[in-house]
Amino acid sequence: MNRIYLDYAAATPVDPRVVKVMQPYFSETFGNPGSLHSFGQEASAAVFKARQTIANELKCHYQDIVFTGSATEANNLVIKGVVEAWYSVARTDQMFGKKNQAGRPRIIVSEIEHESVYALAQEMASSHGVDVVFLPVDKNGVVRLNALKKAITENTVLISVMYANNETGVVQPIKEIAQIVKEYRQNHPTSSSGEKNWWPFLHTDAVQAFQYLPCAPSELGVDFMTISCAKIYGPKGVGALYMANPERMKPALKTEDIFPMSPVIIGGGQEQGWRSGTENVPAIVGFAKAVELAAALRQKEAKRVAALRAELWSGIKKLFPKAVRNSEGEEVLPNNLNVYIPGVSGEQMLVALDLAGVAVSSGSACSARSINPSHVLLAMGFDTVRAKNSIRFTLGRDTTRQQIKKVITILGELRK
Ligand code: PLP
């Protein structure tokens, strides 16, 4: 059976061009980039080149890129790291006998974040004494900017709003959010203790957006950004956190020795100390190639998959006139079709499609093992039945018109 894969938001196949550039780094150029001999230096040069390539695409300095083991880890690094840095400022204040000006830190995250931000934020609230504000979204799944304006306080250390949602594909107004943060900083140039106030920092999880949208952090106005290799036709097991140059961020700090973010994984000091652990050289080399390809194919692919998605949607609508989209309009990633068909069980449909050779997802893939209704669809105001039974089709580079026609035919058979 020729299977059809329509779950590209969950995972993408590794592009053969990516595999090719990775190959020498398994058994030939296998040295540890930290070693001083030629084997190590070759590996180190490959990591440097990859970092530079990704930095060029993101229009940033190569030192702004921190490689991690996944996007989840990058999200953990920024959230835990910024909060910990804030606590260390508080501790330093105490050490020098100053009144603790830092107080209890606040983080603001949207209600539709991926679990690697959402669940972590819940954990930070319950176990780390962090004051967490979850930002509501409107019925289209877009963060309410007024709620953000009201939520920012003097002890807000970090705001994290994803660039595009993994379940609905809805794109968030990151530039407008960045403007709000910038204005807040301008209006609050000093903290209550009279020192320069650089908080809050702005982070965006661009894991899903990167494939289809330009993601230069300086153009978006963000201080931190997460990207993943696994969603852009590269290998799993590598992600990256962009962080605005620490030197540039240093003015935020009250003492020379404190950085705006603390590392979470401590050890050999790799990644300029931000993330210890021997670099995954083949994956990092593959990451750079995947980034290059994604940037080169971005516009053409966006147009192509949007046309296929339109075909799929009109086919579904003909078969199931009551079907509705959970997100639509321009501000949705072009490959995402998240639908609800009243009276149809999402889970049963997923299994039936799978048996017929079509892979789709109900809710987000990363939480596919849970039977809870999607927290994203609930946040958009849909009821539990709709949140549980919606189906996500995500198209990708290998999706063809023939495949879409076949899926429509299979759906027609399943309807009988
Ligand atoms: N952020 C978003 C928006 C995602 O879609 C995902 C995975 O689907 C992640 C973060 C986490 O990626 P990983 O599981 O590779 O760490």
Side-chain angles (χ1 to χ4, degrees), residues 333-347:
L333 291 181
N335 71 328
N336 183 301
L337 181 64
N338 192 318
V339 296
Y340 172 55
I341 309 174
V344 172
S345 152
E347 217 150 287

Side-chain angles (χ1 to χ4, degrees), residues 48-58 288-289 291-292:
F48 178 80
K49 195 169 157 230
R51 199 187 303 279
Q52 186 68 67
T53 302
I54 296 174
N56 286 348
E57 288 306 336
L58 294 182
K289 187 68 184 173
V291 162
E292 252 179 5

Side-chain angles (χ1 to χ4, degrees), residues 101-323:
Q101 298 296 344
R104 190 175 171 220
R106 167 174 285 199
I107 61 174
I108 303 172
V109 306
S110 86
E111 273 185 358
I112 55 159
E113 293 301 308
H114 181 266
E115 282 74 8
S116 52
V117 170
Y118 191 78
L120 175 62
Q122 287 175 321
E123 160 76 13
M124 298 301 279
S126 60
S127 319
H128 295 256
V130 176
D131 170 23
V132 180
V133 175
F134 288 95
L135 274 188
V137 295
D138 63 20
K139 64 180 186 349
N140 298 318
V142 178
V143 159
R144 291 182 190 274
L145 298 180
N146 273 340
L148 171 65
K149 281 182 198 160
K150 283 187 197 145
I152 307 178
T153 51
E154 265 217 351
N155 55 340
T156 302
V157 293
L158 185 73
I159 295 156
S160 181
V161 177
M162 67 200 324
Y163 195 5
N165 183 265
N166 45 304
E167 293 187 39
T168 60
V170 174
V171 178
Q172 300 300 320
I174 298 299
K175 283 187 185 169
E176 278 147 275
I177 292 172
Q179 188 56 32
I180 291 170
V181 174
K182 190 174 161 196
E183 276 167 23
Y184 183 88
R185 283 178 187 159
Q186 278 167 354
N187 294 335
H188 299 79
T190 51
S191 70
S192 51
S193 55
E195 283 133 334
K196 191 165 170 62
N197 190 13
W198 255 62
W199 284 282
F201 294 118
L202 177 61
H203 166 248
T204 193
D205 173 345
V207 165
Q208 297 289 341
F210 191 85
Q211 187 64 20
Y212 297 108
L213 302 172
C215 283
S218 56
E219 287 169 9
L220 288 171
V222 299
D223 305 300
F224 295 93
M225 186 170 90
T226 297
I227 56 172
S228 165
C229 181
K231 314 286 185 195
I232 58 167
Y233 305 85
K236 298 170 185 65
V238 63
L241 180 69
Y242 157 87
M243 64 177 292
N245 190 331
E247 283 307 311
R248 192 153 55 72
M249 279 193 167
K250 241 181 174 171
L253 311 167
K254 296 179 181 179
T255 80
E256 276 297 294
D257 303 328
I258 300 169
F259 280 90
M261 183 176 84
S262 299
V264 169
I265 298 179
I266 315 280
Q270 289 89 348
E271 296 298 304
Q272 306 169 75
W274 295 115
R275 196 272 189 183
S276 287
T278 303
E279 298 87 340
N280 185 348
V281 182
I284 288 172
V285 169
F287 197 175
K289 187 68 184 173
V291 162
E292 252 179 5
L293 291 170
L297 298 171
R298 201 175 260 150
Q299 275 187 339
K300 219 172 137 194
E301 263 301 285
K303 234 172 130 182
R304 196 185 72 85
V305 293
L308 293 178
R309 175 184 62 186
E311 244 175 81
L312 178 59
W313 175 228
S314 85
I316 292 174
K317 214 40 198 161
K318 272 190 202 129
L319 290 169
F320 304 95
K322 286 189 182 153

